[in-house]
Amino acid sequence: MDPHEVPTMEGSSTQPNTNEQHANQPHVKYGPIVPASLAHHATNLTRHSTNPLARTGSKETIRDPNLDVNLPYRTLSNEANLSEFTTETAAGEIPGPVEPDGEHRYKLVTFLPNDPENPKNWSKAYKWYCTMVVALTCFVVAFSSSVVTPDIVGVADEFGVSEEVALLSITLFVVGFGVGPMAFAPLSEIYGRRIIYGTTLLVAVIFIIPGAVAKNIATLLVARAIDGIAFSAPMTLVGGTLADLWRSEERGIPMAAFSAAPFIGPAIGPLVGGFLSDAAGWRWLYWIHLILAFIVWVLITFTVPETYAPTILAKRAKKMREQTGQQDYVTEEDIDKRPFGERIGIFLIRPFQLLFGELIVFLISLYMSVLYGLLYMFFVAFPIIFQIGKGYSAGITGLMFIPLAVGVVCSAVCAPLVNTHYRKLIAKHDGLPPPELRLIPMMCSCWLIPIGLFIFAWTSYERLTWVGPALGGFPVGFGFIFLYNSANNYLVDAYQHQAASALAAKTCIRSFWGAAVVLFTNQMYDRLGYEWASTLLAFISLACCAIPFLFWVYGERIRQKSRYAYAGDENEKIENAGEGLGPIVREDDSEDADLRRARSYVSNP
């Protein structure tokens, strides 16, 4: 038996010797690797489940119907058997590779059927509690980025610096959002999610205090930079936590709730911060920030247990070794990690190889950067239009963000309809939809951004009522979630097991652009005027509308010429699926393969 072969599906006759060798072992229950609609095409279902990154080169040559970008593809070696983390067995183990002595075989520890330590088996009420805690954490982090914006002038006046220097408190915080994930993503694959949540949020809470009591601008800026890096960890991990908790067919509503949080937070921040700064001054913006951050730190640290399957199983294997005295009980985390240098290359270099070497990643990242920059431009543009132009207070100006937040909520409510539509498209393509189908929501919603900006631009005359520019935020907010989720899903489907690196590249570049735009928004509105400055943004977003249509028409050809993207033909997909590449799933999850394909893989914006 091959050292990395695992038992075949029930009824398979392709490996008769395997059944003889394991006649005395409890039966292992696996689901098919291909969708049910294609099962009759697949033959030779012998399982050779290895890390898909082991394929020759980096080109994605097959479609993995059970793709889970939260598995540690990048941390574990090419020989790692990732099915360990997605399989439930009656014995709680599957055969592993041969040990160095050449006589014994490692036992890879798995979850048991209905295992209470498997987060997917927790009660629905507790899973919803955990979901609400991590979504609230995501909201507070996003809230933190914008709550300080209403009284930037107060900071500048107290410390005797220019408004641009005071705006660095936003810029450095958002830069941290781009830098932090490069470290926290690999650390979470090694140490688990809970310890990263707890330590980074604690650091963030501590360093809010120097900002609140700062005696000079340098202290404030350093504290904000550290907070941005620390707060980036929850934003990086929340999507994976929800994937840990919910099965594919249950994930629609929790993902919709989560995907709204990163956009509602920045919209609510100026609303709360505006009234608070009017009443108590800019320092209380940091104190309210501290109170909320401390609450979510307590909740997520002391009430949400570890959810990452590799970490849970690694602790179980260690406990079994201690109890039995047998060193055979291991996980792939124990025996098949990549060398440190290789991991550094994958986590730190691969994202930039994709960003600057892949047209799809570059243009999608460019589009998302424009949107992210637009969101942070609003934090500077709204005070210009409503406070300077119309003479409103910071609190009243904060109310103007309500239509933007309402648009985000409405789009979150409609998000499950997108997955329902996608399931229908899967059926029409016999379970093998091209990645470009993920672009349909983007092609429909991309027009909402320039529409909202044109409304915002040409109703912003000082003599006109507030209604026009405020309502211009609704279509912008409504379009955000559809665009972000569509972009994320397209990158996942197009780059498969390279998707985590593609998403990291997008997050990094968009954070740097979002950080930069706040520094020149004032000058842009001063030189171009209220109407034409916003119109320029509208035309830029209108030009970006061509990106999804470009990939709709030419995406397949671009993927075929790509070094990394998936571009196999239909026969190749079926043939390779039959060879058993990719993670194994439980039989009860494989009954509805369409649901598995229709899930939103990553909703983290």
Side-chain angles (χ1 to χ4, degrees), residues 12-21:
S12 171
S13 60
T14 57
Q15 288 284 340
N17 293 334
T18 302
N19 292 333
E20 294 174 6
Q21 292 173 4

Side-chain angles (χ1 to χ4, degrees), residues 223-242:
R224 285 289 283 178
I226 295 173
D227 271 340
I229 295 172
F231 271 127
S232 71
M235 296 289 276
T236 304
L237 303 181
V238 167
T241 299
L242 296 187

Side-chain angles (χ1 to χ4, degrees), residues 270-298:
L271 173 60
V272 175
F275 284 107
L276 190 57
S277 64
D278 285 344
W282 68 267
R283 291 186 186 275
W284 262 99
L285 303 181
Y286 289 86
W287 291 124
I288 189 65
H289 179 191
L290 174 65
I291 293 168
L292 294 176
F294 179 76
I295 290 172
V296 297
W297 173 72
V298 170

Side-chain angles (χ1 to χ4, degrees), residues 25-59:
Q25 293 186 8
H27 181 66
V28 182
K29 190 176 181 183
Y30 298 131
I33 193 63
V34 295
S37 58
L38 294 176
H40 64 281
H41 292 290
T43 57
N44 299 324
L45 286 175
T46 302
R47 311 303 303 192
H48 296 278
S49 182
T50 61
N51 189 334
L53 290 183
R55 289 188 285 276
T56 302
S58 301
K59 180 72 173 176

Side-chain angles (χ1 to χ4, degrees), residues 555-570:
E556 183 176 359
R557 276 176 275 183
I558 293 172
R559 287 187 288 109
Q560 288 173 347
K561 296 180 181 179
S562 164
R563 179 182 175 186
Y564 296 100
Y566 163 76
D569 60 39
E570 301 304 306

Side-chain angles (χ1 to χ4, degrees), residues 149-169:
T149 59
D151 203 10
I152 290 295
V153 174
V155 174
D157 290 343
E158 178 163 340
F159 293 134
V161 297
S162 67
E163 193 169 330
E164 284 70 28
V165 173
L167 283 168
L168 285 172
S169 61

Side-chain angles (χ1 to χ4, degrees), residues 521-535:
T521 302
N522 270 325
Q523 292 86 337
M524 183 175 71
Y525 274 82
D526 287 341
R527 294 188 181 186
L528 298 181
Y530 296 173
E531 295 75 33
W532 282 107
S534 300
T535 299

Side-chain angles (χ1 to χ4, degrees), residues 68 70-71 111 117-122 127 192-194 197 237-247 250-251 255 305-310 312 599:
D68 184 349
N70 295 300
L71 289 176
F111 287 120
E117 292 188 17
N118 185 349
K120 290 182 172 63
N121 293 331
W122 295 348
K127 288 196 289 187
R193 307 198 196 281
R194 188 182 187 190
Y197 277 128
L237 303 181
V238 167
T241 299
L242 296 187
D244 296 338
L245 291 169
W246 299 95
R247 301 190 190 280
E250 302 172 324
R251 215 171 279 163
M255 278 296 188
E306 180 60 63
T307 63
Y308 191 47
I312 296 172
R599 69 181 193 162

